[in-house]
C-alpha cells in the first residue's frame, strides 16, 4: 500500500477511536452515548435477506425510513450541522462527507444525488435523505435506483409535510438506559482498518459502523406490521407470556437471520467447554458491540447452558449470536427459553430434541 494511503488509514482509525468506545458490557457508544454496531457488509446483506425472507413481506422502505429517521436523530443529537441558513453552506456538506467516511458508508454526491457505496441501498438512501432534509430544512419524497453494485441514483421531490424533529428510537421490554454509569467505561474500538474506495475494511473485509437505533426503529415497524410466524418457528421458543407476542416477532426474526448468516460464514465456531463461550464473546461479540453475558452455567451433558444477560437494546442480537453459535458449535437444533430476572434476563439454550447415549 502506498505511504499516503497508509497514512490516511492511520488518520481515519484515530478519528474512529476518538469517537467510539467499547463499554464494559460489550456495547459500543459514540460520544453522545448512542449505541453502535460494527458490521461486516457481506454479513449485513445476508442478515437482511434472511430477515426479510422469513418475514415474508417486503420491508425495504421500512428499512429506509428507519435509517433516515435514525440519521436525522443522530445529526440533531450530535450538533454536527449548524442551525439556520449556515446549514446550506459547503461546511455542512463537508461535515456530512466526513461522517460518511468515518462510518464506512461510502459517499454521497449532493449535486448529482448519487451514492457510491457497498451498503444496502435502502440504508444508504435513508442516510442520504436525512442529510438532504437536514441541509434544506425540507421534507423530501425519495425513490432510489440501483445502477450498479456500488452506484445508487436518487430521485427526490419536495414533500408538503413540515419538518419536525425525529423522536428517539422505540423502546422495548428488554431495553435499558445505556448511558447509566454501570454501562460506561471500557476502551477505544480495535480495528485493523484500511481505507479503500467507497469505504474501509477491517481485517480485509468491507465493514462499517451502524447505529443500533436503525434496528430499534425497524423492529417497531415490524411489530406494528402484525406478522404471524410459522408454528414450527415458534415451537423452539419459550418466552415470557406477560410480554405481547408482537414484541417478540422482530426478536425471533433477528435470531433466525443471524443463524442463517453465521451458517453461511466461515467463522470457526468450536465449543468444547464453558471457556469456549468466553472466547466467543471476546472475539466475536464484544469487539463488534454485540453485548456479552455476566454469568454462565452448564445445564446438561448435551451442551445445555444458561446465560445471564443485562437488559439492553442490543439484547436481540446478543441472544441471536449465542443461539447461532450454539447450533453451529453443538450441531443440533436449539430450544430457547428466555425469562426476566429482576433487571436482567436469563437465557437457556438446550437441545430441541432429547438424545440418549
Amino acid at each position: 500500500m502506498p505511504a499516503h494511503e497508509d497514512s490516511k488509514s492511520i488518520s481515519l482509525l484515530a478519528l474512529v477511536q476518538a469517537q467510539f468506545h467499547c463499554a464494559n458490557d460489550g456495547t459500543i457508544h459514540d460520544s453522545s452515548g448512542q449505541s453502535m454496531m460494527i458490521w461486516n457488509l457481506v454479513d449485513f446483506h445476508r442478515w437482511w435477506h434472511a430477515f426479510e425472507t422469513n418475514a415474508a413481506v417486503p420491508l425495504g422502505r421500512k428499512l429506509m425510513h428507519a435509517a433516515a429517521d435514525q440519521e436525522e436523530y443522530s445529526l440533531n443529537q450530535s450538533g454536527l450541522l449548524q442551525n439556520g441558513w449556515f446549514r446550506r453552506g459547503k461546511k455542512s456538506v463537508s461535515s456530512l462527507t466526513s461522517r460518511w467516511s468515518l462510518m464506512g458508508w461510502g459517499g454521497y454526491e449532493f449535486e448529482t444525488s448519487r451514492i457510491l457505496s457497498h451498503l444496502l441501498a435502502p440504508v444508504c438512501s435513508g442516510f442520504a435523505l436525512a442529510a438532504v432534509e437536514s441541509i434544506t430544512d425540507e421534507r423530501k419524497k425519495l425513490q432510489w435506483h440501483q445502477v450498479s453494485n456500488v452506484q445508487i441514483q436518487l430521485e427526490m421531490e419536495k414533500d408538503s409535510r413540515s419538518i419536525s424533529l425525529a423522536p428517539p428510537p422505540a423502546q422495548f421490554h428488554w431495553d435499558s438506559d445505556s448511558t447509566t454509569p454501570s454501562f460506561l467505561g471500557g476502551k477505544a474500538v480495535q480495528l485493523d482498518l484500511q481505507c479503500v474506495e467507497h469505504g474501509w475494511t477491517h481485517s480485509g473485509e468491507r465493514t462499517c459502523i451502524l447505529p443500533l437505533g436503525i434496528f430499534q426503529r425497524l423492529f417497531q415497524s415490524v411489530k406494528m406490521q402484525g406478522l404471524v410466524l410459522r408454528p414450527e418457528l415458534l415451537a423452539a421458543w419459550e418466552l415470557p407470556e406477560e410480554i405481547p407476542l408482537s414484541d417478540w416477532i422482530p426478536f425471533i426474526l433477528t435470531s433466525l437471520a443471524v443463524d442463517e448468516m453465521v451458517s453461511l460464514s466461515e467463522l470457526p465456531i468450536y465449543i468444547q467447554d464453558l471457556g469456549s463461550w468466553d472466547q466467543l464473546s471476546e472475539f466475536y461479540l464484544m469487539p463488534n458491540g454485540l453485548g456479552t453475558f455476566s454469568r454462565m452455567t452448564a445445564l446438561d451433558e448435551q451442551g445445555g447452558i444458561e446465560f445471564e444477560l443485562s437488559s439492553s437494546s442490543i439484547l436481540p442480537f446478543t441472544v441471536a449470536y449465542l443461539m447461532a453459535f450454539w447450533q453451529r458449535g453443538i450441531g443440533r437444533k436449539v430450544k430457547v427459553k428466555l425469562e426476566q430476572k429482576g433487571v436482567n434476563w436469563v437465557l437457556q439454550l438446550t437441545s430441541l430434541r432429547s438424545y440418549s447415549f
Side-chain angles (χ1 to χ4, degrees):
M1 176 178 293
H4 71 279
E5 289 293 335
D6 192 43
S7 176
K8 183 178 178 182
S9 298
I10 293 172
S11 299
L12 183 58
L13 176 60
L15 290 173
V16 170
Q17 292 184 322
Q19 182 71 19
F20 304 104
H21 286 78
C22 299
N24 295 325
D25 66 341
T27 57
I28 292 175
H29 302 272
D30 68 6
S31 56
S32 64
Q34 293 189 64
S35 294
M36 299 286 162
M37 305 169 70
I38 297 174
W39 274 93
N40 175 295
L41 291 187
V42 171
D43 285 346
F44 183 55
H45 281 249
R46 287 171 173 169
W47 178 86
W48 173 246
H49 176 74
F51 187 96
E52 192 175 36
T53 299
N54 285 309
V57 294
L59 295 172
R61 290 205 71 85
K62 292 190 181 299
L63 179 61
M64 185 277 287
H65 285 299
D69 288 347
Q70 181 58 35
E71 180 63 359
E72 179 182 313
Y73 179 77
S74 297
L75 292 174
N76 289 329
Q77 289 293 107
S78 67
L80 182 68
L81 302 181
Q82 299 181 23
N83 293 324
W85 66 271
F86 290 105
R87 285 184 177 221
R88 301 174 185 268
K90 292 183 178 180
K91 185 174 181 181
S92 291
V93 173
S94 177
S95 296
L96 287 165
T97 299
S98 297
R99 174 168 171 78
W100 280 54
S101 175
L102 178 76
M103 304 295 279
W105 297 343
Y108 175 61
E109 298 174 350
F110 285 83
E111 293 183 358
T112 61
S113 298
R114 185 177 69 155
I115 296 172
L116 296 171
S117 176
H118 287 267
L119 253 178
L120 281 170
V123 176
C124 53
S125 297
F127 292 156
L129 176 62
V132 171
E133 290 184 335
S134 296
I135 286 180
T136 63
D137 285 326
E138 292 179 347
R139 286 292 180 215
K140 302 287 185 181
K141 294 179 181 178
L142 171 68
Q143 295 291 332
W144 70 83
H145 306 279
Q146 187 90 46
V147 180
S148 70
N149 63 328
V150 296
Q151 182 176 335
I152 301 156
Q153 188 65 46
L154 304 184
E155 294 181 7
M156 297 189 197
E157 60 181 70
K158 187 175 179 179
D159 193 321
S160 59
R161 293 174 301 154
S162 60
I163 287 283
S164 58
L165 295 180
Q171 296 290 298
F172 289 86
H173 289 84
W174 51 81
D175 286 333
S176 69
D177 182 3
S178 61
T179 61
T180 56
S182 61
F183 285 83
L184 301 180
K187 57 185 179 181
V189 298
Q190 300 301 308
L191 293 168
D192 178 17
L193 186 150
Q194 294 292 334
C195 291
V196 293
E197 191 176 25
H198 314 319
W200 44 262
T201 64
H202 167 51
S203 298
E205 300 287 341
R206 285 193 174 273
T207 305
C208 77
I209 298 172
L210 293 175
L212 179 58
I214 296 173
F215 300 93
Q216 294 171 270
R217 295 175 193 275
L218 174 67
F219 294 169
Q220 180 67 10
S221 293
V222 171
K223 171 187 173 180
M224 304 303 292
Q225 191 89 353
L227 301 180
V228 178
L229 298 184
R230 301 192 307 275
E232 62 268 25
L233 297 179
L234 296 175
W237 291 79
E238 185 176 340
L239 299 164
E241 294 182 356
E242 63 272 17
I243 300 176
L245 180 60
S246 59
D247 278 30
W248 293 113
I249 296 300
F251 197 111
I252 295 171
L253 287 173
T254 295
S255 296
L256 294 171
V258 167
D259 181 58
E260 184 169 330
M261 182 194 78
V262 170
S263 70
L264 291 173
S265 74
E266 298 179 356
L267 290 180
I269 307 298
Y270 304 110
I271 299 175
Q272 298 175 326
D273 51 34
L274 288 181
S276 300
W277 286 104
D278 284 323
Q279 294 173 359
L280 290 172
S281 176
E282 179 182 350
F283 286 110
Y284 300 126
L285 297 184
M286 298 181 70
N288 295 311
L290 296 169
T292 188
F293 45 83
S294 57
R295 177 187 62 81
M296 60 179 168
T297 307
L299 295 177
D300 56 43
E301 295 182 356
Q302 297 179 19
I305 190 166
E306 178 179 284
F307 299 99
E308 186 164 333
L309 310 169
S310 299
S311 293
S312 170
S313 301
I314 200 66
L315 188 70
F317 284 96
T318 310
V319 171
Y321 273 89
L322 292 174
M323 286 176 52
F325 290 163
W326 195 95
Q327 292 196 135
R328 179 81 171 262
I330 302 298
R332 300 177 187 144
K333 290 292 185 182
V334 67
K335 173 73 175 180
V336 185
K337 180 179 180 181
L338 188 64
E339 59 182 343
Q340 196 162 12
K341 181 182 178 182
V343 297
N344 293 330
W345 293 81
V346 174
L347 170 68
Q348 291 185 353
L349 302 178
T350 55
S351 179
L352 186 59
R353 301 177 182 85
S354 298
Y355 292 85
S356 57
F357 298 91

